[in-house]
């Protein structure tokens, strides 16, 4: 009896001390949150959220408002635009103990993005190292927050993504784009609804796999492939994961998380096998495709920077970003042109003059497409597939007269700045003349591919591919949006047209091929 009494007494006191310890932890955490409020609350920002008469803002900050704005993959950036217009160029955002500063000041954009002094924000980018506990983008180019380590990677990658190197793949761009036009032509009766975005996703995936990894898919011919769904699920997983990194522990989300895990495993296992086989072939002196992977492996070997883990992280990044963002850009252009007939006509006239009825578009042809450049830039202003980036401020700084303490994430958003009247007159009007060669250049308020040393590695690739596809599409077809379609944006980490740009196509009489 004494033994049981002793055990119960021990359990009792263990429970008491556990509860006391837990209470002390909670109190310490609340004190820390209060400290962050004292440290940052001089910065303008929206009131913290309330639930009825109960204030939850002390703990959750603006988290509930942000999460609500992201439901059903809605556009959180419109909320950021609203806050920046109301509270100014420096806006404080609180979520639990974490504070971010949302900045729409061109001088700050210049300072942070054009310098290597400010690393990428580890809170945001370290989050993407894994996806629901499984390695995702790891320490690849997109997510590496260590500048020295990132620079070593970029030095290896840069030559393979230079304009001079990518021009060598114009035959692939033309071949895949021509195949897409043939499929469009089969449905160009003026009545059949054509899912433009879906088919663009297929062709851009075929292009990135062929040009980067020497892999051949035939998605446009109806070949079954798990890759499109895997990419879509992974992107949805990113969006949900950023909202709630702990979803994997919640039973109601188990099915979704398992689908994301399976999709991620498919991408990484495919990359792992591809890299392994190519390294073996290169080492044995076998004939290998002259693609980006071969180029990177050879340069990495020369530089002594051949790390299989990093190669795989970047494989997944290229696989997703190289397909998704280019397809979204072209889809947004076509979507916008359906309500801009004068711009569409002018663009088609330029293509007719520069390319004519030629089957293959050359690099010289693309160099003559000045108005197309303007249309692409204006589309990226209103619909940037990658809307923003963030940097880490380690030391105190003054932005727009406001003291920003060190130890904070600084968020920059090209979507918001591109739609701000302070930087662009009549910002919601689609006007390619903003980017006429004689027009003043936007001063650090336009950065769809970021700026400075960490600007997007794939921007030349994306624009070359987009121009080839657009040339052929405008060369061959008139197009109209199917009634009932909207111009709304879907936010799944990248921005894409919500309704898929469902169009009817009609062949241009002057484009018929002999």
């Amino acid at each position: 009896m004494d033994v049981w009494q002793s055990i119960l007494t021990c359990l009792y006191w263990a429970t008491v001390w556990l509860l006391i310890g837990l209470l002390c932890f909670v109190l310490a955490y609340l004190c820390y949150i209060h400290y962050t409020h004292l440290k940052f609350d001089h910065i303008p920002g929206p009131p913290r959220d309330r639930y009825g008469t109960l204030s939850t803002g002390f703990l959750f900050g603006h988290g509930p408002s942000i999460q609500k704005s992201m439901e059903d993959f809605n556009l959180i950036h419109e909320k950021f635009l609203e806050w920046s217009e109301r509270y100014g160029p420096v806006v404080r955002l609180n979520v639990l103990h974490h504070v971010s500063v949302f900045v729409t000041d061109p001088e700050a954009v210049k300072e942070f993005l054009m310098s290597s002094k400010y690393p990428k924000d580890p809170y945001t980018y370290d989050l993407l190292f894994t996806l629901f506990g499984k390695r995702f983008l790891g320490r690849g180019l997109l997510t590496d927050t260590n500048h020295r380590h990132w620079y070593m990677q970029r030095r290896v990658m840069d030559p393979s993504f230079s304009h001079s190197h990518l021009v060598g793949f114009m035959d692939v761009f033309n071949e895949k784009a021509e195949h897409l036009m043939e499929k469009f032509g089969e449905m160009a009766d003026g009545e059949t609804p054509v899912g433009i975005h879906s088919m663009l996703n297929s062709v851009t995936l075929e292009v990135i796999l062929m040009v980067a990894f020497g892999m051949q898919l035939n998605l446009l011919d109806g070949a079954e492939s798990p890759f499109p769904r895997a990419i879509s699920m992974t992107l949805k997983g990113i969006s949900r994961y950023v909202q709630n990194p702990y979803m994997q522990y919640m039973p109601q989300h188990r099915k979704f998380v398992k689908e994301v895990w399976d999709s991620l495993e498919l991408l990484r296992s495919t990359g792992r096998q591809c890299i392994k086989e190519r390294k073996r072939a290169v080492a044995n002196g076998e004939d290998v495709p002259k693609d980006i992977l071969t180029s990177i492996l050879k340069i990495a070997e020369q530089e002594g920077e051949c790390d299989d883990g990093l190669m795989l992280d970047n494989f997944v990044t290229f696989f997703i970003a190289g397909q998704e963002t280019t397809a979204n850009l072209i889809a947004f252009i076509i979507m916008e042109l359906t309500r801009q007939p004068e711009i569409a006509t002018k663009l088609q006239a330029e293509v007719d003059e520069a390319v004519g009825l030629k089957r293959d578009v050359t690099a010289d042809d693309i160099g003559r497409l000045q108005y197309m450049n303007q249309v692409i830039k204006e589309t990226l202003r209103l619909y940037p597939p990658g809307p923003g980036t963030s940097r880490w401020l380690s030391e105190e700084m003054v932005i727009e007269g406001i003291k920003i303490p060190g130890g904070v994430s600084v968020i920059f958003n090209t979507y918001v700045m591109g739609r701000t009247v302070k930087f662009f007159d009549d910002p919601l009007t689609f006007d390619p003349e903003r980017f006429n060669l004689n027009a003043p250049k936007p001063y650090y308020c336009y950065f769809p591919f970021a700026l400075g040393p960490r600007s997007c590695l794939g921007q030349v690739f994306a624009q070359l591919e987009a121009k080839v596809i657009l040339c052929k599409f405008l060369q061959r077809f008139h197009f109209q949006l199917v009634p009932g379609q909207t111009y709304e944006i879907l936010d799944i980490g990248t921005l894409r047209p919500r309704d898929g740009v469902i169009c009817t196509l009609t062949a241009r009489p002057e484009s018929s091929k002999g």
Side-chain angles (χ1 to χ4, degrees):
M1 194 69 177
D2 290 342
V3 172
W4 283 109
Q5 187 66 38
S6 297
I7 291 173
L8 289 173
T9 301
C10 288
L11 287 173
Y12 170 78
W13 284 110
T15 303
V16 169
W17 283 112
L18 179 63
L19 291 173
I20 290 172
L22 184 61
L23 180 60
C24 289
F25 173 80
V26 170
L27 289 173
Y29 184 63
L30 293 176
C31 287
Y32 180 67
I33 290 177
H34 181 60
Y35 165 73
T36 63
H37 291 177
L38 294 175
K39 187 177 179 181
F40 292 98
D41 273 7
H42 65 282
I43 302 171
R48 296 186 186 88
D49 292 328
R50 298 185 66 87
Y51 182 76
T53 58
L54 176 66
S55 173
T56 60
F58 177 85
L59 183 61
F60 296 110
H62 305 103
S65 285
I66 292 172
Q67 189 149 4
K68 185 176 181 181
S69 297
M70 297 176 72
E71 286 177 358
D72 194 29
F73 304 106
N74 286 322
L75 196 61
I76 181 59
H77 309 285
E78 281 295 320
K79 176 61 72 175
F80 293 152
L81 176 59
E82 174 194 328
W83 283 342
S84 69
E85 288 176 339
R86 181 175 299 180
Y87 299 104
V90 180
V91 178
R92 167 186 44 82
L93 302 175
N94 299 86
V95 179
L96 296 173
H97 62 281
H98 186 75
V99 180
S100 301
V101 180
F102 189 89
V103 174
T104 52
D105 170 53
E107 292 298 337
V109 172
K110 179 181 178 182
E111 170 68 20
F112 278 85
L113 298 193
M114 297 302 292
S115 169
S116 60
K117 177 181 176 182
Y118 306 97
K120 280 195 169 183
D121 163 32
Y123 177 81
T124 300
Y125 291 96
D126 285 353
L127 197 63
L128 297 176
F129 184 94
T130 59
L131 188 55
F132 298 126
K134 303 288 185 183
R135 184 158 178 155
F136 176 38
L137 298 181
R139 284 285 176 262
L141 279 173
L142 179 64
T143 52
D144 198 340
T145 57
N146 181 297
H147 180 76
R148 181 177 173 277
H149 189 254
W150 166 85
Y151 177 75
M152 290 190 299
Q153 290 192 72
R154 183 72 181 241
R155 186 180 61 188
V156 169
M157 303 288 181
D158 267 342
S160 303
F161 284 87
S162 66
H163 185 274
S164 58
H165 188 255
L166 292 174
V167 164
F169 297 111
M170 287 294 288
D171 57 338
V172 178
F173 295 150
N174 274 289
E175 176 192 340
K176 296 298 184 182
E178 189 66 28
H179 193 192
L180 176 64
M181 297 310 124
E182 290 170 3
K183 294 300 178 184
F184 281 154
E186 293 171 3
M187 297 179 281
D189 56 10
E191 297 180 358
T192 303
V194 180
I196 299 292
H197 185 248
S198 174
M199 295 185 72
L200 287 171
N201 265 325
S202 294
V203 77
T204 55
L205 180 55
E206 288 192 9
V207 168
I208 190 66
L209 288 177
M210 174 61 74
V211 170
F213 310 114
M215 297 170 63
Q216 181 73 268
L217 290 182
N218 296 299
L219 298 173
L220 291 172
D221 291 325
E224 290 293 327
S225 171
F227 291 126
R229 173 174 165 74
I231 292 172
S232 181
M233 283 302 304
T234 303
L235 287 167
K236 289 179 180 177
I238 296 170
S239 181
R240 296 278 182 87
Y241 181 63
V242 169
Q243 293 177 61
N244 182 3
Y246 306 105
M247 280 179 65
Q248 71 216 64
Y249 306 113
M250 301 176 181
Q252 67 270 32
H253 299 302
R254 191 168 296 152
K255 181 176 182 293
F256 174 78
V257 171
K258 176 67 162 56
E259 289 177 341
V260 173
W261 278 347
D262 291 346
S263 298
L264 182 55
E265 177 56 30
L266 172 69
L267 298 180
R268 291 190 69 88
S269 62
T270 300
R272 191 177 297 110
Q273 186 64 28
C274 183
I275 293 168
K276 178 181 177 182
E277 286 297 317
R278 186 65 57 84
K279 288 184 73 174
R280 181 196 59 76
V282 169
N284 292 339
E286 300 174 14
D287 287 335
V288 293
K290 295 180 180 180
D291 55 21
I292 290 174
L293 177 58
T294 296
S295 173
I296 289 173
L297 286 172
K298 289 182 176 178
I299 296 170
E301 191 68 34
Q302 294 167 7
E303 296 282 342
E305 299 290 348
C306 199
D307 183 311
D308 285 359
L310 288 177
M311 286 285 181
L312 184 52
D313 292 338
N314 284 311
F315 178 98
V316 175
T317 303
F318 298 157
F319 209 119
I320 296 173
Q323 176 264 337
E324 170 74 10
T325 55
T326 309
N328 294 353
L329 168 60
I330 303 169
F332 277 128
I333 292 172
I334 293 172
M335 181 187 82
E336 191 61 43
L337 291 178
T338 62
R339 60 178 172 184
Q340 308 287 351
E342 292 181 1
I343 294 174
T345 299
K346 184 174 180 179
L347 193 52
Q348 283 182 316
E350 181 184 65
V351 171
D352 291 345
E353 182 179 349
V355 183
L357 299 179
K358 290 194 304 183
R359 181 183 184 277
D360 287 343
V361 182
T362 67
D364 288 340
D365 296 334
I366 285 176
R368 292 191 290 271
L369 297 171
Q370 174 54 36
Y371 192 64
M372 182 177 285
N373 271 336
Q374 293 173 211
V375 170
I376 288 173
K377 287 180 178 180
E378 178 68 347
T379 303
L380 287 169
R381 179 184 71 84
L382 282 172
Y383 308 104
T389 186
S390 60
R391 296 292 185 266
W392 182 253
L393 177 63
S394 59
E395 298 178 353
E396 182 181 298
M397 172 185 274
V398 175
I399 301 176
E400 285 279 340
I402 299 170
K403 185 178 74 174
I404 312 297
V408 68
S409 307
V410 183
I411 302 170
F412 301 98
N413 192 300
T414 190
Y415 177 96
V416 169
M417 295 185 78
R419 289 171 177 250
T420 298
V421 70
K422 180 179 177 180
F423 307 122
F424 295 95
D425 293 334
D426 196 11
L428 299 185
T429 296
F430 188 88
D431 180 12
E433 292 305 321
R434 299 179 200 274
F435 294 96
N436 186 291
L437 289 175
N438 297 320
K441 292 184 178 179
Y443 185 79
Y444 296 102
C445 56
Y446 171 83
F447 43 97
F449 295 107
L451 293 169
R454 296 207 64 155
S455 59
C456 176
L457 176 70
Q459 59 182 299
V460 174
F461 184 108
Q463 292 184 79
L464 273 177
E465 181 183 5
K467 288 173 183 176
V468 171
I469 293 173
L470 280 169
C471 275
K472 289 177 176 288
F473 184 76
L474 294 165
Q475 187 186 53
R476 315 291 176 83
F477 303 107
H478 295 298
F479 47 96
Q480 289 186 323
L481 210 61
V482 169
Q485 290 274 291
T486 72
Y487 292 87
E488 293 180 3
I489 301 172
L490 186 73
D491 185 355
I492 55 172
T494 60
L495 307 187
R496 57 164 62 174
R498 180 174 285 273
D499 290 345
V501 194
I502 312 297
C503 289
T504 54
L505 306 179
T506 307
R508 295 179 66 196
E510 60 270 34
S511 71
S512 58
K513 302 292 180 182

